[in-house]
Amino acid sequence: MFNKKLKLYKRFKDITLELSKLGIYNIYDYFKALFGIETDPSLGPQRIRETLEKLGPSFIKLGQVLSIRPDIVPQSVILELIKLQDNVKPVDFEIIKNIIEKELNQKIEEVFTYIDPNPIGSASIAQVYKGILRTGEIVAIKVKRPNLEELISLDAEVFYKVISFLERHSKTVKDLNLKSVIYQYKFTTLREADFEIEASNIQTFRKNFKNFNEKFYIPKHYPQYSTKNILVLEFIEGKKINQIQLTTSEKQDIAKLITDAYYKMVFYDGFYHADPHPGNLLIKEDKTLVLLDFGMVGTLSEEKKRLLYEHIFAVVNKNKTLAMNFYEGMGMISPKTDLEKLEALVEVFIDKYHNKTLQDINLKDMVLEIIELVRECNLYLPTTLAYLGKASIGLDGLIRYLDPHFNPTERLTKFLTKSTKDHIKEKFNEAIDIANFYYNLSFKLDRIIKTLNIERLTFRVIFKDVEELQEFYKNQINKIVLAIIFFAFLVSSALFHLSNQHFIANLMLYISIFMFVILLYKIMRQ
């Protein structure tokens, strides 16, 4: 326990020192800036992103998690957080070599004829090396950084303690429920660091794109050399999409290819790559597009895909009821949601877009407006939908980089057009779901009626205002108790002075002063 506290203290000190080097002298001010609470205006969105990048791996990952939380982070900050890129100082190759040998339970020479000791990539979770298997294949070897899980858990604890401090001193912070963000950070980072999950993702993508387009490629992996901490992949010779010279025609073709691939992932497969940035896309010499890094993915069930279809049609056909079904069906309505305000803003949103064709709609602007709607109406944003928003913004930026005049929504029509057979099949499945629902409901109602006849049920109703009133009275009682203790020590001090026991009298006086300061602090804070 003591050792853990020592590590936490050291980590907290390191973070604070690093912030001070960057000209930010209070870690609490930095957190308040990140979440849009009142702060120094010099801590703008761009500076927040640059600070996160300089603070290192955990902060980069925290920023990436916050980029999909428009319910608590301002839109201006989100647009910067989406740009966060990993570029971390590499770990010494001898350490990496020991990890590889331990994971494979073999000497490195028994598996590889050669590994370049200089990494071709060094990110917050892993380092990537180029190597040659003894079978002759050139491979990319992705190795998890040492002690990563411990660092993630330690930093999560630091973040948790900072937020606990802020919650005790600010009702605004308490209402944000930032502890859920820390849980999400820890869960998603550890999941992304599990290469067995990434290997499974690769297999799914390769299967989904088997007959898609010969110019779109997913690298294969080598399961016999891969573990939870090592991922061996086919090495692809190519250049990043932002580091290669392309003709105007080639840029247009690649823009269409990327757009079609992503729409297929979302509207057909329901399984999509959630981090489309230039570093994750390579262009081979023959202009084949290669997708990389499959740790961050999103999934959409058939029901969620149907809701997305219906939301788009609701906007085009000016159907407010169908649009509201989207927010309810996606589970976005929270206890804090102002439904009247939501309906009014949805109506404004529909009025803006209903008379436009898909070719006239800017995907990024539409997504940003939905993000603002989430924040404005206190909606809950499911992770898979948040990933979709993040991917949409990243995709739009990537496409605009290739061809500023190309609008990705132009190609959406062919992915939204369903055949008569598909439509009939979908409605048939809906009819089966409804029949199953009412069939099961009849048994549940029967069980409820029997329970009401046999047992006495107790209903507990909790009123939010009553809870706040209870908290108010609790605080007042605490102040009264402190006041009584203060007065008791003050009187005791006077009595001991009269008895000529000056040491005890002075001690009682100091304690009473201390209690008075605490009482004054509690009064001022309220």
Side-chain angles (χ1 to χ4, degrees), residues 198-229:
E198 184 170 352
S200 176
N201 293 340
I202 291 170
Q203 285 181 307
T204 303
F205 278 115
R206 282 180 64 83
K207 179 183 175 183
N208 290 346
F209 283 92
K210 188 176 181 180
N211 300 311
F212 174 65
N213 188 315
E214 61 181 13
K215 287 294 183 182
F216 186 84
Y217 189 70
I218 308 290
K220 66 180 180 181
H221 85 289
Y222 295 82
Q224 65 271 39
Y225 306 119
S226 300
T227 68
K228 190 175 181 178
N229 298 316

Side-chain angles (χ1 to χ4, degrees), residues 95-230:
I95 297 173
I96 296 297
K97 180 182 175 182
N98 290 335
I99 293 173
I100 295 173
E101 291 182 339
K102 183 180 178 182
E103 287 295 314
L104 299 180
N105 200 24
Q106 295 181 75
K107 287 290 184 182
I108 206 164
E109 297 81 10
E110 296 175 15
V111 182
F112 303 96
T113 56
Y114 173 75
I115 296 180
D116 187 342
N118 300 306
I120 55 177
S122 180
S124 57
I125 285 178
Q127 293 178 193
V128 183
Y129 295 84
K130 183 178 180 180
I132 303 173
L133 291 170
R134 294 200 69 84
T135 50
E137 293 102 324
I138 301 175
V139 293
I141 309 155
K142 190 172 182 179
V143 185
K144 189 191 297 184
R145 298 177 77 89
N147 305 316
L148 183 69
E149 286 85 356
E150 183 184 8
L151 179 63
I152 291 168
S153 298
L154 194 64
D155 283 347
E157 189 72 19
V158 171
F159 298 147
Y160 190 89
K161 287 188 178 298
V162 170
I163 288 168
S164 295
F165 175 87
L166 290 172
E167 283 183 344
R168 288 196 300 271
H169 295 80
S170 170
K171 190 176 184 299
T172 306
V173 175
K174 191 173 183 179
D175 290 341
L176 289 174
N177 189 24
L178 297 181
K179 287 177 181 175
S180 67
V181 176
I182 304 308
Y183 170 79
Q184 190 177 5
Y185 150 78
K186 187 175 179 179
F187 174 79
T188 55
T189 308
L190 289 174
R191 183 177 174 81
E192 196 176 339
D194 188 337
F195 293 158
E196 288 178 347
I197 295 174
E198 184 170 352
S200 176
N201 293 340
I202 291 170
Q203 285 181 307
T204 303
F205 278 115
R206 282 180 64 83
K207 179 183 175 183
N208 290 346
F209 283 92
K210 188 176 181 180
N211 300 311
F212 174 65
N213 188 315
E214 61 181 13
K215 287 294 183 182
F216 186 84
Y217 189 70
I218 308 290
K220 66 180 180 181
H221 85 289
Y222 295 82
Q224 65 271 39
Y225 306 119
S226 300
T227 68
K228 190 175 181 178
N229 298 316
I230 296 177

Side-chain angles (χ1 to χ4, degrees), residues 498-517:
L498 292 173
S499 303
N500 293 320
Q501 297 185 41
H502 299 296
F503 174 76
I504 298 176
N506 289 335
L507 182 62
M508 292 291 182
L509 180 63
Y510 294 146
I511 293 174
S512 68
I513 292 171
F514 178 70
M515 298 305 296
F516 177 74
V517 170

Side-chain angles (χ1 to χ4, degrees), residues 64-126:
Q64 290 173 345
V65 168
L66 289 171
S67 72
I68 59 169
R69 292 299 301 269
D71 51 330
I72 57 175
V73 179
Q75 188 185 110
S76 58
V77 177
I78 282 177
L79 289 173
E80 282 295 324
L81 296 182
I82 286 172
K83 301 175 187 176
L84 279 168
Q85 298 290 314
D86 284 352
N87 187 16
V88 183
K89 184 180 177 182
V91 176
D92 187 83
F93 181 69
E94 282 302 313
I95 297 173
I96 296 297
K97 180 182 175 182
N98 290 335
I99 293 173
I100 295 173
E101 291 182 339
K102 183 180 178 182
E103 287 295 314
L104 299 180
N105 200 24
Q106 295 181 75
K107 287 290 184 182
I108 206 164
E109 297 81 10
E110 296 175 15
V111 182
F112 303 96
T113 56
Y114 173 75
I115 296 180
D116 187 342
N118 300 306
I120 55 177
S122 180
S124 57
I125 285 178

Side-chain angles (χ1 to χ4, degrees), residues 248 252 359 399-408 410:
T248 302
Q252 290 173 345
Q359 289 85 349
I399 299 302
R400 304 287 176 188
Y401 168 79
L402 288 167
D403 183 1
H405 304 293
F406 177 70
N407 187 347
E410 289 178 0

